[in-house]
């Protein structure tokens, strides 16, 4: 038992230049932990709400109210609570705000405090965070398989294309280091291809190339071409992962493809996604249907769940009961874990545990608004979650997280890289392509 002595908040700024909440937690021993809340742009309806000041200043995104909650509400309630007992700390936070969306405290306040406590506890036992996480949650640590964005899109790129994330995975790599090397080659090959078409126009919110494409298919073709230009055969060592983020352009059973000026009903949209799965080496697809389209998600999973990873992000918002419900329905076969989506470390780990109970895969994920906070590299490794998604291969709020995994690799050993997605498991790995 080492009691919490102080909880202090401060306003810092995220990768989009918006204010966010940083929290310092100090235990009576003097051990200190610090964490910063990230921020999403394509947020699920059922995820924890960020407390923002509103009004005109700072585009309404001020965090004065959230900092007040940290110092005047959460902080006093945690004084004297055992900082090494994450479950007790998070329970004390939840007792202050039983609303499902953390509407009173704000998810930005709760996540920064909860993660800062986790860091303080690791400091208390003198361990790196990943090792502490593995021991607290009784997991075998492993270095995750990255999903790395090559082209941005959707809400992260002015809705230039409908699909939000065009990513690669390198499941055929033997080490985390090898993934980084292959990714670098593909990233710059993609940039060269954009440049040669006169379409190079900077980068989107998460550092992927700006998607100056005429259609979603053109982006997919460019991604395949980039993989080939990097000297790889698409679908062998390197494959494609998409975050459709369909809630951003679909609702009530209709999907509006703005670029092509087409409006598709759920069935036609699923057929189109199926044609993409046939035509391109896609290993993973996130939020293929809108979060309100339960029947669509079930139908999609029934049709394609055996051959592709189907990830629930907005669909389950890191919420254990929504993961359970989706598993009961037969929707999705993997979960995206974003701590700020649910608001505390304990609840995020519960969602992860629910997923593993259902034999789902899990991907620990950043948000599109990020900072230098490295917690997710440690969570992904310590939980042995299997996969990590932090955005692209530029911009330091992204690279810092990949680089932290390389530092962890030095201690944990290159062999601890998860080969979580054996190629033989996938339809295209079975020679059907
Ligand atoms: P967000 O997007 O952080 O803007 O919500 C990330 C994602 O959809 O995975
Ligand atoms: Zn997503």
């Amino acid at each position: 038992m080492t009691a919490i002595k102080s909880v202090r908040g401060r306003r810092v700024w995220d990768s989009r230049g918006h204010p966010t909440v940083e929290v310092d937690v100090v235990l009576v021993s003097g051990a200190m932990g610090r964490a910063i809340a990230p921020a999403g742009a394509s947020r699920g309806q059922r995820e924890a709400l960020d407390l923002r000041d509103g009004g005109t200043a700072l585009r309404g995104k001020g965090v004065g109210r959230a900092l007040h909650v940290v110092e005047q509400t959460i902080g006093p309630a945690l004084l004297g609570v055992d900082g090494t007992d994450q479950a007790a700390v998070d329970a004390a936070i939840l007792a202050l705000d039983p609303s499902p969306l953390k509407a009173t405290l704000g998810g930005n306040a709760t996540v920064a405090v909860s993660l800062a406590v986790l860091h303080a506890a690791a400091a208390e036992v003198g361990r790196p965070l990943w090792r502490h996480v593995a021991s607290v949650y009784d997991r075998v640590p492993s270095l995750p398989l990255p999903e790395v964005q090559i082209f941005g899109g959707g809400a992260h790129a002015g809705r230039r294309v409908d699909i939000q994330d065009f990513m690669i995975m390198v499941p055929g790599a033997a080490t985390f280091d090898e993934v980084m090397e292959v990714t670098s080659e593909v990233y710059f090959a993609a940039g060269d291809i954009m440049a040669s078409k006169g379409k190079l126009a900077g980068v989107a919110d998460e550092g992927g190339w700006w998607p100056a494409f005429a259609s979603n298919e053109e982006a997919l073709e460019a991604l395949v071409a980039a993989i080939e230009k990097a000297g790889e055969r698409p679908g062998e060592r390197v494959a494609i992962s998409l975050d459709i983020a369909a809630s951003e352009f679909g609702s009530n059973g209709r999907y509006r493809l703005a670029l092509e000026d087409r409006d598709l009903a759920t069935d036609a949209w699923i057929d189109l996604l199926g044609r993409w799965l046939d035509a391109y080496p896609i290993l993973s697809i996130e939020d293929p249907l809108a979060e309100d389209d339960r029947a669509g998600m079930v139908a999609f999973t029934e049709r394609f769940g055996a051959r592709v990873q189907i990830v629930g992000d907005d669909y389950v918002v890191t919420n254990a009961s929504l993961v359970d419900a989706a598993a009961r329905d037969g929707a999705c076969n993997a979960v995206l874990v974003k701590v700020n989506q649910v608001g505390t470390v304990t609840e995020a780990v519960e969602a992860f545990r629910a997923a593993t109970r259902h034999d789902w895969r899990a991907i620990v994920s950043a948000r599109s608004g990020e900072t230098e906070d490295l917690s997710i590299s440690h969570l992904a490794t310590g939980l042995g979650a299997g996969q990590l998604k932090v955005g692209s291969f530029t911009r330091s709020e992204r690279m810092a997280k990949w680089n932290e995994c390389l530092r962890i690799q030095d201690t944990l050993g290159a062999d601890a890289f998860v080969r979580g997605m054996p190629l033989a498991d996938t339809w295209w790995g079975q020679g059907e392509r």
Side-chain angles (χ1 to χ4, degrees):
M1 153 94 192
T2 313
I4 292 174
K5 190 172 97 187
S6 74
V7 177
R8 292 209 38 203
R10 86 174 51 78
R11 181 179 69 179
V12 295
W13 303 84
D14 74 14
S15 56
R16 281 192 274 249
H18 295 315
T20 188
V21 177
E22 175 170 274
V23 169
D24 291 356
V25 167
V26 181
L27 308 184
V28 290
S29 61
M32 199 271 253
R34 172 177 294 158
I36 313 176
S42 69
R43 301 165 47 83
Q45 298 281 335
R46 292 169 291 190
E47 66 175 274
L49 294 167
D50 280 351
L51 207 54
R52 300 278 181 182
D53 296 343
T56 51
L58 300 175
R59 298 177 166 242
K61 292 187 180 296
V63 291
R65 287 164 65 208
L67 289 172
H68 186 81
V69 163
V70 167
E71 298 207 335
Q72 304 301 322
T73 309
I74 304 179
L78 292 186
L79 296 190
V81 176
D82 183 358
T84 63
D85 186 346
Q86 188 72 35
V89 168
D90 289 338
I93 295 174
L94 292 185
L96 296 169
D97 185 356
S99 73
L101 298 185
K102 313 254 177 330
T104 317
L105 295 181
N108 46 353
T110 64
V111 76
V113 175
S114 183
L115 279 169
V117 169
L118 190 68
H119 280 273
E124 173 67 21
V125 293
R127 286 180 161 169
L129 187 64
W130 61 270
R131 216 183 261 295
H132 176 64
V133 165
S135 109
V136 169
Y137 297 108
D138 196 22
R139 300 284 306 172
V140 178
S142 60
L143 284 161
L145 179 65
E147 293 187 51
V148 195
Q149 186 190 73
I150 303 298
F151 302 119
H156 302 161
R159 297 176 204 279
R160 184 64 192 70
V161 288
D162 307 297
I163 299 175
Q164 181 178 286
D165 276 299
F166 297 85
M167 298 173 284
I168 58 162
M169 299 173 79
V170 192
T175 63
F176 191 92
D177 211 25
E178 186 181 327
V179 175
M180 297 291 100
E181 202 170 295
V182 172
T183 300
S184 174
E185 301 288 2
V186 174
Y187 183 81
F188 287 107
D192 290 346
I193 288 170
M194 298 293 279
S196 70
K197 292 179 166 181
K199 291 187 165 185
L200 198 61
V203 300
D205 277 11
E206 297 190 359
W209 300 111
W210 184 264
F213 296 111
S215 67
N216 296 298
E217 284 85 353
E218 192 192 350
L220 285 162
E221 294 292 342
L223 186 50
V224 169
I227 294 169
E228 283 168 347
K229 191 173 190 320
E232 302 285 335
R233 284 188 45 188
E236 288 194 350
R237 190 162 57 154
V238 184
I240 293 176
S241 167
L242 300 177
D243 181 2
I244 306 289
S247 304
E248 291 293 311
F249 57 88
S251 64
N252 300 315
R254 304 296 304 182
Y255 294 84
R256 164 116 202 105
L257 303 181
L259 260 183
E260 295 143 58
D261 195 19
R262 283 164 79 196
D263 195 12
L264 300 180
T266 296
D267 286 352
W269 171 236
I270 291 178
D271 287 344
L272 178 58
L273 291 171
R275 288 198 290 281
W276 290 348
L277 293 181
D278 287 340
Y280 305 103
I282 297 168
L283 194 52
S284 180
I285 187 160
E286 184 176 322
D287 284 339
L289 283 296
E291 62 196 288
D292 68 356
D293 197 347
R294 174 170 168 270
M297 194 67 106
V298 170
F300 184 84
T301 306
E302 203 172 336
R303 225 166 119 183
F304 303 113
R307 74 184 218 195
V308 69
Q309 171 172 276
I310 302 170
V311 186
D313 170 17
D314 294 345
Y315 194 72
V316 290
V317 292
T318 316
N319 179 311
S321 34
L322 294 177
V323 169
D324 285 338
R328 266 198 311 275
D329 290 348
C332 311
N333 57 27
V335 66
L336 205 72
V337 177
K338 293 166 162 171
V339 183
N340 84 320
Q341 221 168 21
V342 66
T344 65
V345 172
T346 302
E347 292 167 287
V349 173
E350 277 167 13
F352 169 69
R353 285 200 193 285
T356 54
R357 269 200 308 279
H358 300 301
D359 285 328
W360 283 20
R361 291 185 169 129
I363 304 102
V364 173
S365 172
R367 302 308 303 249
S368 50
E370 270 294 335
T371 66
E372 63 271 33
D373 187 285
L374 303 178
S375 307
I376 58 169
S377 305
H378 289 264
L379 283 172
T381 305
L383 290 174
Q387 295 167 63
L388 175 63
K389 175 187 174 196
V390 314
S392 192
F393 208 67
T394 57
R395 302 179 49 141
S396 283
E397 79 280 4
R398 315 287 153 188
M399 300 315 291
K401 293 170 180 67
W402 302 132
N403 289 342
E404 187 73 349
C405 290
L406 292 170
R407 289 180 202 106
I408 297 171
Q409 176 185 264
D410 279 351
T411 332
L412 191 52
D415 287 349
F417 175 61
V418 66
R419 291 172 211 193
M421 188 99 43
L423 294 178
D425 266 11
T426 65
W427 65 278
W428 47 263
Q430 293 161 2
E432 288 175 37
R433 215 174 117 73

